[in-house]
Amino acid sequence: MTSSVVKKSNGQFRIAAIGENSCTLASYNRRDFYKISLVTDGWPPCQLYYGSHDPIEIDQPALVVIDPIVPHSWFVPERTVTTEGFFCVFDDDFIRASSQLAGIANRLFTAQDSPVYFPDHTELQFLKGLFARMRMEADSDYNDKEDLFRSYLSLIFHQTIQMRRSTNLATSAFSRIANAFIGLLKRQFPVDLPLEPIKLKKASDFADNLAVHVNHLNMVVQKATGKSTTVHISEQLFAEAKSLLSYTSYNIAEIANGLGFEYQSYFNRFFKKHAGVTPSDFRKYFEKYK
């Protein structure tokens, strides 16, 4: 990266394409440098270990904004696809030389939780254009290129803050839908047999009730809870089945019907898959040892 260095009394700034002069994702881990990586194509996938976070998987185009005070490291597996994108590294002196840039940097880094942002197509093209322009200007003889780089950094910081806000809004929306799903699921229980069998049996039933597409519901619930809608439904059905078998006198056919199974044989297979024993054996065991 030596051909693209700006180094004066008011700080250091460096810009390069990934792979240029052997630069990799793990380059410039020095604690006195901020580092922004824009991975546009050929992402490994790889993992970023950042502070106390669980490993952050990067398996799509990403903007990674590293705060030098937070310990971090990369795990990059062996791969044959060439990673494409840009690196931009700079120190605190370079930021503080501009009060405007320092202000936006404070807004970004003070409130930053995760350093990884996943831009949509429009955002990616905008960022790619900014980085490509910076790389081109690095080789120019323009006397005020430091100020020009600070202007580009300001735009990148603003774009990052906008992406964070969009992500937070999406996360909030995800949480609302996921909570509504879980509320609908739990309100069906306990089952009042034989008059009130459950009405919402599949993910599509819940999606119709919530007026969202089933694929969107599945995605939202997975992201918000770490479990699929199918797992949530199965866990709730299994818990209710154990309760009905343990504390009521309803026969197994009535329980199967109340829990939304078309045939008792379907319920028997479902229960054995989760409990390791049939419903009748479970009931016998409970009655023997209760």
Side-chain angles (χ1 to χ4, degrees):
M1 293 176 66
T2 52
S3 64
S4 54
V5 177
V6 172
K7 184 175 181 181
K8 295 183 179 180
S9 59
N10 51 357
Q12 296 187 61
F13 177 92
R14 306 183 179 198
I15 175 74
I18 293 176
E20 182 180 352
N21 296 330
S22 301
C23 286
T24 69
L25 286 174
S27 300
Y28 282 88
N29 278 335
R30 286 174 53 186
R31 294 288 296 275
D32 52 347
F33 276 101
Y34 294 87
K35 180 168 69 174
I36 302 178
S37 304
L38 180 68
V39 183
T40 61
D41 198 12
W43 46 93
C46 59
Q47 290 181 325
L48 173 63
Y49 292 79
Y50 189 78
S52 60
H53 280 274
D54 291 333
I56 304 170
E57 187 83 10
I58 299 176
D59 57 358
Q60 57 185 297
L63 180 72
V64 185
V65 184
I66 299 293
D67 187 334
I69 68 172
V70 181
H72 72 280
S73 62
W74 289 92
F75 172 73
V76 182
E78 292 293 328
R79 64 197 189 281
T80 57
V81 178
T82 302
T83 302
E84 296 180 7
F86 298 90
F87 282 105
C88 173
V89 297
F90 46 93
D91 60 13
D92 196 61
D93 288 340
F94 188 81
I95 294 177
R96 303 304 158 189
S98 165
S99 59
Q100 183 179 21
L101 182 60
I104 189 64
N106 287 339
R107 281 181 58 197
L108 172 61
F109 289 106
T110 300
Q112 179 170 265
D113 180 30
S114 170
V116 180
Y117 305 84
F118 297 109
D120 62 25
H121 176 74
T122 301
E123 293 164 340
L124 180 63
Q125 294 307 307
F126 175 69
L127 290 166
K128 187 175 180 180
L130 291 178
F131 277 90
R133 188 74 186 182
M134 284 196 295
R135 182 61 193 91
M136 183 182 70
E137 294 292 351
D139 292 333
S140 75
D141 56 1
Y142 182 54
N143 291 331
D144 295 322
K145 68 171 66 177
E146 279 190 310
D147 292 335
L148 190 58
F149 288 143
R150 291 189 182 95
S151 296
Y152 286 128
L153 275 183
S154 180
L155 289 172
I156 292 169
F157 288 169
H158 277 293
Q159 182 63 61
T160 305
I161 291 171
Q162 287 182 322
M163 287 192 294
R164 181 172 66 204
R165 182 174 181 274
S166 297
T167 299
N168 290 341
L169 289 174
T171 301
S172 177
F174 286 1
S175 296
R176 287 196 300 272
I177 295 173
N179 289 338
F181 160 74
I182 292 171
L184 282 175
L185 177 61
K186 291 186 178 297
R187 282 196 296 273
Q188 295 193 104
F189 304 98
V191 178
D192 183 10
L193 297 178
L195 300 178
E196 292 291 337
I198 65 170
K199 296 181 174 61
L200 305 177
K201 306 172 186 179
K202 308 183 297 294
S204 57
D205 297 332
F206 289 92
D208 291 342
N209 192 280
L210 295 169
V212 298
H213 193 279
V214 64
N215 292 342
H216 183 66
L217 177 64
N218 290 335
M219 180 270 292
V220 164
V221 171
Q222 181 70 48
K223 283 184 174 291
T225 69
K227 296 180 183 179
S228 69
T229 52
T230 301
V231 168
H232 280 285
I233 294 168
S234 295
E235 288 179 347
Q236 198 67 43
L237 285 175
F238 180 55
E240 183 68 5
K242 289 192 295 181
S243 178
L244 290 169
L245 289 167
S246 300
Y247 301 110
T248 75
S249 59
Y250 297 117
N251 64 47
I252 294 173
E254 290 172 329
I255 293 173
N257 181 70
L259 293 179
F261 292 88
E262 186 176 1
Y263 301 106
Q264 181 180 330
S265 59
Y266 293 174
F267 173 65
N268 289 343
R269 285 199 295 270
F270 167 83
F271 192 88
K272 188 171 183 179
K273 176 183 177 181
H274 289 81
V277 296
T278 64
S280 58
D281 286 341
F282 178 86
R283 174 170 269 177
K284 290 175 184 177
Y285 182 86
F286 182 81
E287 291 175 346
K288 180 179 180 179
Y289 292 100
K290 68 178 179 179

